[in-house]
Amino acid sequence: MSNLPRLRPEKLQLFQDRYRQLLADGKILSKHELDRQYNLFRKSFGPEALQEFDGEELLNFMHNHGNHDGLVYWLEFKNDEDFQTTNFGGIGGGSALKFRVFRRKETGTWQTAPKRGNAPVETSVEDAVAIARSHRDQLIRGVEVIEDFTREPSDDNYAQLQVQLDEVAPDVSRLGWGHKYFSLLCPDKIDDIHSEKWQRYHMLKLLQEPPQTEGRYACAGRFVAAAEELGIPLNHFTGLLNSVHGGLHAYWRIGTTSGKKGESFWEMMQDQGRIAVGWNDAGDLSWVDGRSETRNKLKDYLTDLGQTSSTT
């Protein structure tokens, strides 16, 4: 039994209602179709498939975007009746260097970067093959680690998984495409939110403090536990998160403890859906709304109030 935070009742009800709506609207893949696409990806690119190739053939199979039967094309672009990669989390944006090696379309030459963040430079086929071999071997070792991992959704267990993957697959597990590969091979253990920033964003929207451990695998136990609580596939739960929470946005931090008495007002604010300002002299602020003129008026009002308070 997981000791992780449970979904708050209002979130649980919201997710249940939204889930029924998404299923009715056909915006979530059926369990049968989900399993079919997972099985197809494993058959096409699982450890057994990767072991069938070597040399330049392996390089093109793994890292040539022009090969529509290749790994990186499926992870980033493939979207047809056989496999819809967008249903398994996006890794788009940025340059092809996010894969650490790529074939330039204009010249047919292979490109890489000596260090992360550097501009791409041409590399030999032999060196590009060496990178592909390293990636293949790390993907295979990573899958072995995850498959042997006990599926217990706790922060400690997933922190240990993070350490193990960093050790056996450092060049792929720390990248978005590597995380997506592992999530497609082990979809009941690894979520398909491939950005650590997005993972922690959803933690905050769930009113949970994110795990102390950093890395792309540290939050997975939270998502696994929540999906189990709802009784739905992990992929369906991450789809719910995106539907309910929307895109990234900034937060304002409001203190929840009285400076004079040390009394916490967090529980009251949560239960009543309020934001409390600790200035008793501020009076009734119910006139505040989202209009720019109101915000400017509030800013001037609080500035004047603060100056008055500091002189009394």
Side-chain angles (χ1 to χ4, degrees), residues 233-278:
L234 185 54
N235 170 272
H236 286 186
F237 179 65
T238 57
L240 272 176
L241 290 176
N242 291 326
S243 176
V244 171
H245 294 163
L248 294 173
H249 50 261
Y251 285 87
W252 290 93
R253 183 183 183 277
I254 303 294
T256 61
T257 303
S258 169
K260 293 182 179 179
K261 299 180 180 179
E263 181 183 359
S264 175
F265 292 91
W266 173 236
E267 186 174 344
M268 179 275 289
M269 286 191 272
Q270 274 191 310
D271 292 343
Q272 299 184 24
R274 299 175 183 270
I275 295 177
V277 179

mmCIF file of all heavy atoms in Angstrom, residues 233-278:
data_model
loop_
_atom_site.group_PDB
_atom_site.id
_atom_site.type_symbol
_atom_site.label_atom_id
_atom_site.label_comp_id
_atom_site.label_asym_id
_atom_site.label_seq_id
_atom_site.Cartn_x
_atom_site.Cartn_y
_atom_site.Cartn_z
ATOM 1 N N PRO A 233 -5.348 3.521 -16.327
ATOM 2 C CA PRO A 233 -3.964 3.412 -16.794
ATOM 3 C C PRO A 233 -3.186 4.698 -16.549
ATOM 4 O O PRO A 233 -3.761 5.798 -16.542
ATOM 5 C CB PRO A 233 -4.120 3.144 -18.299
ATOM 6 C CG PRO A 233 -5.492 2.586 -18.454
ATOM 7 C CD PRO A 233 -6.326 3.258 -17.406
ATOM 8 N N LEU A 234 -1.891 4.573 -16.361
ATOM 9 C CA LEU A 234 -1.044 5.732 -16.101
ATOM 10 C C LEU A 234 -1.127 6.740 -17.241
ATOM 11 O O LEU A 234 -1.160 7.955 -17.013
ATOM 12 C CB LEU A 234 0.405 5.262 -15.888
ATOM 13 C CG LEU A 234 1.439 6.304 -15.491
ATOM 14 C CD1 LEU A 234 1.009 7.079 -14.257
ATOM 15 C CD2 LEU A 234 2.795 5.624 -15.248
ATOM 16 N N ASN A 235 -1.170 6.267 -18.481
ATOM 17 C CA ASN A 235 -1.288 7.150 -19.634
ATOM 18 C C ASN A 235 -2.579 7.960 -19.595
ATOM 19 O O ASN A 235 -2.595 9.144 -19.960
ATOM 20 C CB ASN A 235 -1.227 6.335 -20.930
ATOM 21 C CG ASN A 235 -1.570 7.135 -22.166
ATOM 22 O OD1 ASN A 235 -2.743 7.236 -22.535
ATOM 23 N ND2 ASN A 235 -0.575 7.716 -22.805
ATOM 24 N N HIS A 236 -3.660 7.365 -19.131
ATOM 25 C CA HIS A 236 -4.927 8.089 -19.025
ATOM 26 C C HIS A 236 -4.847 9.158 -17.948
ATOM 27 O O HIS A 236 -5.420 10.249 -18.095
ATOM 28 C CB HIS A 236 -6.066 7.117 -18.715
ATOM 29 C CG HIS A 236 -6.462 6.275 -19.883
ATOM 30 N ND1 HIS A 236 -7.550 5.415 -19.870
ATOM 31 C CD2 HIS A 236 -5.921 6.152 -21.127
ATOM 32 C CE1 HIS A 236 -7.656 4.810 -21.042
ATOM 33 N NE2 HIS A 236 -6.675 5.240 -21.818
ATOM 34 N N PHE A 237 -4.134 8.863 -16.857
ATOM 35 C CA PHE A 237 -4.020 9.856 -15.794
ATOM 36 C C PHE A 237 -3.221 11.067 -16.249
ATOM 37 O O PHE A 237 -3.601 12.214 -15.960
ATOM 38 C CB PHE A 237 -3.374 9.245 -14.549
ATOM 39 C CG PHE A 237 -3.210 10.239 -13.432
ATOM 40 C CD1 PHE A 237 -4.314 10.791 -12.816
ATOM 41 C CD2 PHE A 237 -1.948 10.652 -13.019
ATOM 42 C CE1 PHE A 237 -4.185 11.732 -11.807
ATOM 43 C CE2 PHE A 237 -1.801 11.593 -12.016
ATOM 44 C CZ PHE A 237 -2.920 12.129 -11.398
ATOM 45 N N THR A 238 -2.119 10.857 -16.965
ATOM 46 C CA THR A 238 -1.349 12.010 -17.439
ATOM 47 C C THR A 238 -2.151 12.815 -18.453
ATOM 48 O O THR A 238 -2.024 14.041 -18.521
ATOM 49 C CB THR A 238 -0.006 11.572 -18.041
ATOM 50 O OG1 THR A 238 -0.232 10.630 -19.110
ATOM 51 C CG2 THR A 238 0.881 10.923 -16.988
ATOM 52 N N GLY A 239 -2.989 12.147 -19.231
ATOM 53 C CA GLY A 239 -3.892 12.883 -20.120
ATOM 54 C C GLY A 239 -4.872 13.735 -19.341
ATOM 55 O O GLY A 239 -5.189 14.869 -19.740
ATOM 56 N N LEU A 240 -5.355 13.207 -18.216
ATOM 57 C CA LEU A 240 -6.233 13.979 -17.342
ATOM 58 C C LEU A 240 -5.524 15.201 -16.784
ATOM 59 O O LEU A 240 -6.100 16.291 -16.714
ATOM 60 C CB LEU A 240 -6.695 13.096 -16.176
ATOM 61 C CG LEU A 240 -7.950 12.259 -16.367
ATOM 62 C CD1 LEU A 240 -8.177 11.390 -15.143
ATOM 63 C CD2 LEU A 240 -9.159 13.139 -16.608
ATOM 64 N N LEU A 241 -4.276 15.022 -16.354
ATOM 65 C CA LEU A 241 -3.512 16.141 -15.810
ATOM 66 C C LEU A 241 -3.420 17.274 -16.826
ATOM 67 O O LEU A 241 -3.632 18.445 -16.495
ATOM 68 C CB LEU A 241 -2.107 15.686 -15.410
ATOM 69 C CG LEU A 241 -1.989 14.763 -14.194
ATOM 70 C CD1 LEU A 241 -0.538 14.342 -14.000
ATOM 71 C CD2 LEU A 241 -2.508 15.447 -12.938
ATOM 72 N N ASN A 242 -3.090 16.932 -18.059
ATOM 73 C CA ASN A 242 -2.971 17.954 -19.095
ATOM 74 C C ASN A 242 -4.307 18.630 -19.370
ATOM 75 O O ASN A 242 -4.376 19.843 -19.591
ATOM 76 C CB ASN A 242 -2.411 17.342 -20.374
ATOM 77 C CG ASN A 242 -0.960 16.927 -20.231
ATOM 78 O OD1 ASN A 242 -0.194 17.563 -19.533
ATOM 79 N ND2 ASN A 242 -0.580 15.838 -20.884
ATOM 80 N N SER A 243 -5.388 17.843 -19.358
ATOM 81 C CA SER A 243 -6.706 18.392 -19.642
ATOM 82 C C SER A 243 -7.178 19.320 -18.530
ATOM 83 O O SER A 243 -7.733 20.388 -18.795
ATOM 84 C CB SER A 243 -7.710 17.255 -19.830
ATOM 85 O OG SER A 243 -9.015 17.755 -20.010
ATOM 86 N N VAL A 244 -6.946 18.930 -17.284
ATOM 87 C CA VAL A 244 -7.442 19.699 -16.141
ATOM 88 C C VAL A 244 -6.545 20.887 -15.821
ATOM 89 O O VAL A 244 -7.014 21.997 -15.558
ATOM 90 C CB VAL A 244 -7.592 18.793 -14.903
ATOM 91 C CG1 VAL A 244 -7.900 19.618 -13.656
ATOM 92 C CG2 VAL A 244 -8.691 17.759 -15.133
ATOM 93 N N HIS A 245 -5.220 20.679 -15.879
ATOM 94 C CA HIS A 245 -4.294 21.711 -15.413
ATOM 95 C C HIS A 245 -3.866 22.696 -16.489
ATOM 96 O O HIS A 245 -3.436 23.808 -16.173
ATOM 97 C CB HIS A 245 -3.039 21.054 -14.815
ATOM 98 C CG HIS A 245 -3.309 20.289 -13.567
ATOM 99 N ND1 HIS A 245 -2.423 19.361 -13.054
ATOM 100 C CD2 HIS A 245 -4.381 20.305 -12.712
ATOM 101 C CE1 HIS A 245 -2.929 18.847 -11.944
ATOM 102 N NE2 HIS A 245 -4.102 19.394 -11.723
ATOM 103 N N GLY A 246 -3.954 22.317 -17.747
ATOM 104 C CA GLY A 246 -3.538 23.227 -18.807
ATOM 105 C C GLY A 246 -2.043 23.454 -18.826
ATOM 106 O O GLY A 246 -1.257 22.660 -18.296
ATOM 107 N N GLY A 247 -1.628 24.578 -19.447
ATOM 108 C CA GLY A 247 -0.215 24.864 -19.648
ATOM 109 C C GLY A 247 0.459 25.475 -18.437
ATOM 110 O O GLY A 247 -0.189 25.851 -17.458
ATOM 111 N N LEU A 248 1.770 25.558 -18.527
ATOM 112 C CA LEU A 248 2.567 26.141 -17.455
ATOM 113 C C LEU A 248 2.175 27.594 -17.227
ATOM 114 O O LEU A 248 1.895 28.331 -18.169
ATOM 115 C CB LEU A 248 4.058 26.078 -17.804
ATOM 116 C CG LEU A 248 4.706 24.697 -17.889
ATOM 117 C CD1 LEU A 248 6.124 24.840 -18.403
ATOM 118 C CD2 LEU A 248 4.711 24.020 -16.536
ATOM 119 N N HIS A 249 2.164 28.016 -15.975
ATOM 120 C CA HIS A 249 1.937 29.414 -15.672
ATOM 121 C C HIS A 249 2.642 29.776 -14.373
ATOM 122 O O HIS A 249 3.011 28.905 -13.584
ATOM 123 C CB HIS A 249 0.443 29.741 -15.589
ATOM 124 C CG HIS A 249 -0.347 28.808 -14.700
ATOM 125 N ND1 HIS A 249 -1.070 27.767 -15.205
ATOM 126 C CD2 HIS A 249 -0.514 28.767 -13.366
ATOM 127 C CE1 HIS A 249 -1.669 27.124 -14.219
ATOM 128 N NE2 HIS A 249 -1.334 27.705 -13.079
ATOM 129 N N ALA A 250 2.825 31.049 -14.174
ATOM 130 C CA ALA A 250 3.570 31.523 -13.006
ATOM 131 C C ALA A 250 2.711 31.459 -11.754
ATOM 132 O O ALA A 250 1.481 31.448 -11.812
ATOM 133 C CB ALA A 250 4.046 32.955 -13.231
ATOM 134 N N TYR A 251 3.391 31.411 -10.615
ATOM 135 C CA TYR A 251 2.718 31.400 -9.319
ATOM 136 C C TYR A 251 3.132 32.619 -8.505
ATOM 137 O O TYR A 251 4.260 33.097 -8.603
ATOM 138 C CB TYR A 251 3.099 30.143 -8.516
ATOM 139 C CG TYR A 251 2.441 28.884 -8.998
ATOM 140 C CD1 TYR A 251 3.015 28.118 -10.011
ATOM 141 C CD2 TYR A 251 1.238 28.450 -8.450
ATOM 142 C CE1 TYR A 251 2.409 26.949 -10.453
ATOM 143 C CE2 TYR A 251 0.621 27.296 -8.885
ATOM 144 C CZ TYR A 251 1.212 26.551 -9.884
ATOM 145 O OH TYR A 251 0.608 25.407 -10.325
ATOM 146 N N TRP A 252 2.201 33.089 -7.690
ATOM 147 C CA TRP A 252 2.517 34.092 -6.677
ATOM 148 C C TRP A 252 2.614 33.371 -5.344
ATOM 149 O O TRP A 252 1.794 32.520 -5.022
ATOM 150 C CB TRP A 252 1.422 35.168 -6.609
ATOM 151 C CG TRP A 252 1.396 36.053 -7.811
ATOM 152 C CD1 TRP A 252 0.647 35.897 -8.935
ATOM 153 C CD2 TRP A 252 2.165 37.230 -8.015
ATOM 154 N NE1 TRP A 252 0.899 36.896 -9.831
ATOM 155 C CE2 TRP A 252 1.826 37.743 -9.290
ATOM 156 C CE3 TRP A 252 3.104 37.915 -7.252
ATOM 157 C CZ2 TRP A 252 2.385 38.884 -9.814
ATOM 158 C CZ3 TRP A 252 3.673 39.072 -7.774
ATOM 159 C CH2 TRP A 252 3.315 39.546 -9.032
ATOM 160 N N ARG A 253 3.623 33.724 -4.574
ATOM 161 C CA ARG A 253 3.787 33.099 -3.272
ATOM 162 C C ARG A 253 3.193 33.999 -2.191
ATOM 163 O O ARG A 253 3.541 35.166 -2.093
ATOM 164 C CB ARG A 253 5.267 32.846 -2.961
ATOM 165 C CG ARG A 253 5.496 32.130 -1.633
ATOM 166 C CD ARG A 253 6.986 31.969 -1.344
ATOM 167 N NE ARG A 253 7.206 31.224 -0.126
ATOM 168 C CZ ARG A 253 7.176 31.736 1.097
ATOM 169 N NH1 ARG A 253 6.893 33.034 1.252
ATOM 170 N NH2 ARG A 253 7.396 31.002 2.163
ATOM 171 N N ILE A 254 2.297 33.430 -1.406
ATOM 172 C CA ILE A 254 1.673 34.158 -0.312
ATOM 173 C C ILE A 254 2.066 33.492 1.000
ATOM 174 O O ILE A 254 1.922 32.270 1.162
ATOM 175 C CB ILE A 254 0.127 34.150 -0.436
ATOM 176 C CG1 ILE A 254 -0.310 34.750 -1.780
ATOM 177 C CG2 ILE A 254 -0.514 34.896 0.722
ATOM 178 C CD1 ILE A 254 0.000 36.214 -1.925
ATOM 179 N N GLY A 255 2.581 34.260 1.944
ATOM 180 C CA GLY A 255 2.914 33.704 3.248
ATOM 181 C C GLY A 255 1.668 33.183 3.949
ATOM 182 O O GLY A 255 0.592 33.782 3.857
ATOM 183 N N THR A 256 1.788 32.062 4.645
ATOM 184 C CA THR A 256 0.623 31.445 5.289
ATOM 185 C C THR A 256 0.707 31.472 6.811
ATOM 186 O O THR A 256 -0.170 30.942 7.481
ATOM 187 C CB THR A 256 0.492 29.976 4.841
ATOM 188 O OG1 THR A 256 1.670 29.258 5.232
ATOM 189 C CG2 THR A 256 0.315 29.896 3.339
ATOM 190 N N THR A 257 1.767 32.080 7.349
ATOM 191 C CA THR A 257 1.966 32.081 8.796
ATOM 192 C C THR A 257 2.023 33.507 9.310
ATOM 193 O O THR A 257 2.673 34.369 8.708
ATOM 194 C CB THR A 257 3.267 31.348 9.160
ATOM 195 O OG1 THR A 257 3.215 30.023 8.637
ATOM 196 C CG2 THR A 257 3.447 31.286 10.662
ATOM 197 N N SER A 258 1.361 33.758 10.414
ATOM 198 C CA SER A 258 1.395 35.065 11.044
ATOM 199 C C SER A 258 2.771 35.317 11.639
ATOM 200 O O SER A 258 3.292 34.494 12.397
ATOM 201 C CB SER A 258 0.330 35.141 12.146
ATOM 202 O OG SER A 258 0.519 36.307 12.923
ATOM 203 N N GLY A 259 3.350 36.453 11.258
ATOM 204 C CA GLY A 259 4.693 36.764 11.738
ATOM 205 C C GLY A 259 4.751 37.011 13.228
ATOM 206 O O GLY A 259 5.753 36.737 13.883
ATOM 207 N N LYS A 260 3.674 37.535 13.793
ATOM 208 C CA LYS A 260 3.676 37.882 15.217
ATOM 209 C C LYS A 260 3.400 36.665 16.096
ATOM 210 O O LYS A 260 4.071 36.432 17.092
ATOM 211 C CB LYS A 260 2.636 38.966 15.489
ATOM 212 C CG LYS A 260 2.968 40.311 14.839
ATOM 213 C CD LYS A 260 1.914 41.357 15.179
ATOM 214 C CE LYS A 260 2.245 42.704 14.550
ATOM 215 N NZ LYS A 260 1.215 43.731 14.865
ATOM 216 N N LYS A 261 2.418 35.881 15.729
ATOM 217 C CA LYS A 261 2.005 34.769 16.587
ATOM 218 C C LYS A 261 2.528 33.415 16.098
ATOM 219 O O LYS A 261 2.433 32.428 16.825
ATOM 220 C CB LYS A 261 0.479 34.729 16.669
ATOM 221 C CG LYS A 261 -0.143 35.987 17.268
ATOM 222 C CD LYS A 261 -1.648 35.851 17.317
ATOM 223 C CE LYS A 261 -2.305 37.104 17.924
ATOM 224 N NZ LYS A 261 -3.783 36.977 17.962
ATOM 225 N N GLY A 262 3.033 33.362 14.866
ATOM 226 C CA GLY A 262 3.500 32.088 14.325
ATOM 227 C C GLY A 262 2.379 31.117 14.022
ATOM 228 O O GLY A 262 2.602 29.915 13.903
ATOM 229 N N GLU A 263 1.170 31.620 13.871
ATOM 230 C CA GLU A 263 0.002 30.775 13.609
ATOM 231 C C GLU A 263 -0.166 30.558 12.111
ATOM 232 O O GLU A 263 -0.147 31.503 11.326
ATOM 233 C CB GLU A 263 -1.246 31.437 14.184
ATOM 234 C CG GLU A 263 -2.519 30.630 13.980
ATOM 235 C CD GLU A 263 -3.753 31.350 14.504
ATOM 236 O OE1 GLU A 263 -3.590 32.484 15.043
ATOM 237 O OE2 GLU A 263 -4.861 30.804 14.379
ATOM 238 N N SER A 264 -0.338 29.300 11.703
ATOM 239 C CA SER A 264 -0.508 28.975 10.291
ATOM 240 C C SER A 264 -1.970 29.079 9.873
ATOM 241 O O SER A 264 -2.860 28.574 10.569
ATOM 242 C CB SER A 264 -0.012 27.554 10.005
ATOM 243 O OG SER A 264 -0.291 27.203 8.660
ATOM 244 N N PHE A 265 -2.212 29.746 8.755
ATOM 245 C CA PHE A 265 -3.560 29.897 8.209
ATOM 246 C C PHE A 265 -3.741 29.069 6.932
ATOM 247 O O PHE A 265 -4.706 29.248 6.199
ATOM 248 C CB PHE A 265 -3.850 31.374 7.924
ATOM 249 C CG PHE A 265 -3.949 32.217 9.165
ATOM 250 C CD1 PHE A 265 -2.826 32.834 9.671
ATOM 251 C CD2 PHE A 265 -5.150 32.351 9.831
ATOM 252 C CE1 PHE A 265 -2.901 33.607 10.823
ATOM 253 C CE2 PHE A 265 -5.246 33.118 10.988
ATOM 254 C CZ PHE A 265 -4.112 33.740 11.486
ATOM 255 N N TRP A 266 -2.788 28.161 6.641
ATOM 256 C CA TRP A 266 -2.812 27.390 5.399
ATOM 257 C C TRP A 266 -4.054 26.508 5.303
ATOM 258 O O TRP A 266 -4.720 26.444 4.268
ATOM 259 C CB TRP A 266 -1.547 26.551 5.291
ATOM 260 C CG TRP A 266 -1.525 25.578 4.148
ATOM 261 C CD1 TRP A 266 -1.341 24.240 4.206
ATOM 262 C CD2 TRP A 266 -1.699 25.871 2.744
ATOM 263 N NE1 TRP A 266 -1.382 23.674 2.961
ATOM 264 C CE2 TRP A 266 -1.606 24.658 2.043
ATOM 265 C CE3 TRP A 266 -1.933 27.052 2.032
ATOM 266 C CZ2 TRP A 266 -1.731 24.585 0.661
ATOM 267 C CZ3 TRP A 266 -2.062 26.970 0.630
ATOM 268 C CH2 TRP A 266 -1.959 25.753 -0.029
ATOM 269 N N GLU A 267 -4.381 25.808 6.384
ATOM 270 C CA GLU A 267 -5.534 24.911 6.347
ATOM 271 C C GLU A 267 -6.816 25.688 6.074
ATOM 272 O O GLU A 267 -7.677 25.253 5.298
ATOM 273 C CB GLU A 267 -5.636 24.145 7.664
ATOM 274 C CG GLU A 267 -6.727 23.083 7.656
ATOM 275 C CD GLU A 267 -6.713 22.235 8.904
ATOM 276 O OE1 GLU A 267 -5.698 22.243 9.631
ATOM 277 O OE2 GLU A 267 -7.732 21.560 9.158
ATOM 278 N N MET A 268 -6.964 26.848 6.714
ATOM 279 C CA MET A 268 -8.147 27.677 6.486
ATOM 280 C C MET A 268 -8.223 28.125 5.034
ATOM 281 O O MET A 268 -9.286 28.083 4.402
ATOM 282 C CB MET A 268 -8.114 28.896 7.419
ATOM 283 C CG MET A 268 -9.292 29.857 7.249
ATOM 284 S SD MET A 268 -9.083 31.099 5.929
ATOM 285 C CE MET A 268 -7.835 32.153 6.692
ATOM 286 N N MET A 269 -7.106 28.553 4.461
ATOM 287 C CA MET A 269 -7.104 29.023 3.074
ATOM 288 C C MET A 269 -7.441 27.896 2.115
ATOM 289 O O MET A 269 -8.173 28.091 1.133
ATOM 290 C CB MET A 269 -5.755 29.666 2.743
ATOM 291 C CG MET A 269 -5.550 31.035 3.377
ATOM 292 S SD MET A 269 -4.099 31.918 2.742
ATOM 293 C CE MET A 269 -2.838 31.301 3.848
ATOM 294 N N GLN A 270 -6.897 26.691 2.371
ATOM 295 C CA GLN A 270 -7.210 25.536 1.531
ATOM 296 C C GLN A 270 -8.693 25.196 1.587
ATOM 297 O O GLN A 270 -9.347 25.034 0.556
ATOM 298 C CB GLN A 270 -6.395 24.324 1.985
ATOM 299 C CG GLN A 270 -5.012 24.231 1.383
ATOM 300 C CD GLN A 270 -4.388 22.880 1.675
ATOM 301 O OE1 GLN A 270 -4.371 22.423 2.808
ATOM 302 N NE2 GLN A 270 -3.876 22.238 0.656
ATOM 303 N N ASP A 271 -9.206 25.054 2.814
ATOM 304 C CA ASP A 271 -10.592 24.606 2.988
ATOM 305 C C ASP A 271 -11.601 25.613 2.434
ATOM 306 O O ASP A 271 -12.632 25.230 1.883
ATOM 307 C CB ASP A 271 -10.866 24.361 4.472
ATOM 308 C CG ASP A 271 -10.092 23.164 5.016
ATOM 309 O OD1 ASP A 271 -9.622 22.354 4.202
ATOM 310 O OD2 ASP A 271 -9.945 23.067 6.246
ATOM 311 N N GLN A 272 -11.303 26.905 2.571
ATOM 312 C CA GLN A 272 -12.249 27.934 2.159
ATOM 313 C C GLN A 272 -11.948 28.517 0.788
ATOM 314 O O GLN A 272 -12.693 29.375 0.300
ATOM 315 C CB GLN A 272 -12.274 29.060 3.204
ATOM 316 C CG GLN A 272 -12.718 28.600 4.580
ATOM 317 C CD GLN A 272 -12.820 29.737 5.581
ATOM 318 O OE1 GLN A 272 -12.988 30.909 5.192
ATOM 319 N NE2 GLN A 272 -12.713 29.434 6.863
ATOM 320 N N GLY A 273 -10.856 28.062 0.151
ATOM 321 C CA GLY A 273 -10.517 28.581 -1.168
ATOM 322 C C GLY A 273 -10.203 30.053 -1.147
ATOM 323 O O GLY A 273 -10.616 30.800 -2.042
ATOM 324 N N ARG A 274 -9.470 30.504 -0.110
ATOM 325 C CA ARG A 274 -9.180 31.924 0.063
ATOM 326 C C ARG A 274 -7.678 32.181 0.059
ATOM 327 O O ARG A 274 -6.893 31.282 0.336
ATOM 328 C CB ARG A 274 -9.759 32.441 1.387
ATOM 329 C CG ARG A 274 -11.259 32.314 1.513
ATOM 330 C CD ARG A 274 -11.714 32.736 2.903
ATOM 331 N NE ARG A 274 -13.145 32.569 3.083
ATOM 332 C CZ ARG A 274 -14.047 33.493 2.806
ATOM 333 N NH1 ARG A 274 -13.662 34.672 2.327
ATOM 334 N NH2 ARG A 274 -15.328 33.268 2.996
ATOM 335 N N ILE A 275 -7.313 33.417 -0.242
ATOM 336 C CA ILE A 275 -5.963 33.917 -0.035
ATOM 337 C C ILE A 275 -6.054 35.013 1.010
ATOM 338 O O ILE A 275 -6.798 35.986 0.833
ATOM 339 C CB ILE A 275 -5.351 34.468 -1.335
ATOM 340 C CG1 ILE A 275 -5.166 33.334 -2.353
ATOM 341 C CG2 ILE A 275 -4.010 35.142 -1.047
ATOM 342 C CD1 ILE A 275 -4.647 33.797 -3.692
ATOM 343 N N ALA A 276 -5.330 34.834 2.093
ATOM 344 C CA ALA A 276 -5.442 35.757 3.213
ATOM 345 C C ALA A 276 -4.253 36.710 3.251
ATOM 346 O O ALA A 276 -3.105 36.292 3.091
ATOM 347 C CB ALA A 276 -5.526 34.980 4.527
ATOM 348 N N VAL A 277 -4.532 37.983 3.409
ATOM 349 C CA VAL A 277 -3.511 39.012 3.573
ATOM 350 C C VAL A 277 -3.495 39.422 5.042
ATOM 351 O O VAL A 277 -4.547 39.724 5.611
ATOM 352 C CB VAL A 277 -3.792 40.235 2.676
ATOM 353 C CG1 VAL A 277 -2.722 41.298 2.883
ATOM 354 C CG2 VAL A 277 -3.834 39.808 1.214
ATOM 355 N N GLY A 278 -2.312 39.428 5.637
ATOM 356 C CA GLY A 278 -2.221 39.589 7.077
ATOM 357 C C GLY A 278 -2.298 41.004 7.604
ATOM 358 O O GLY A 278 -1.996 41.238 8.769
#
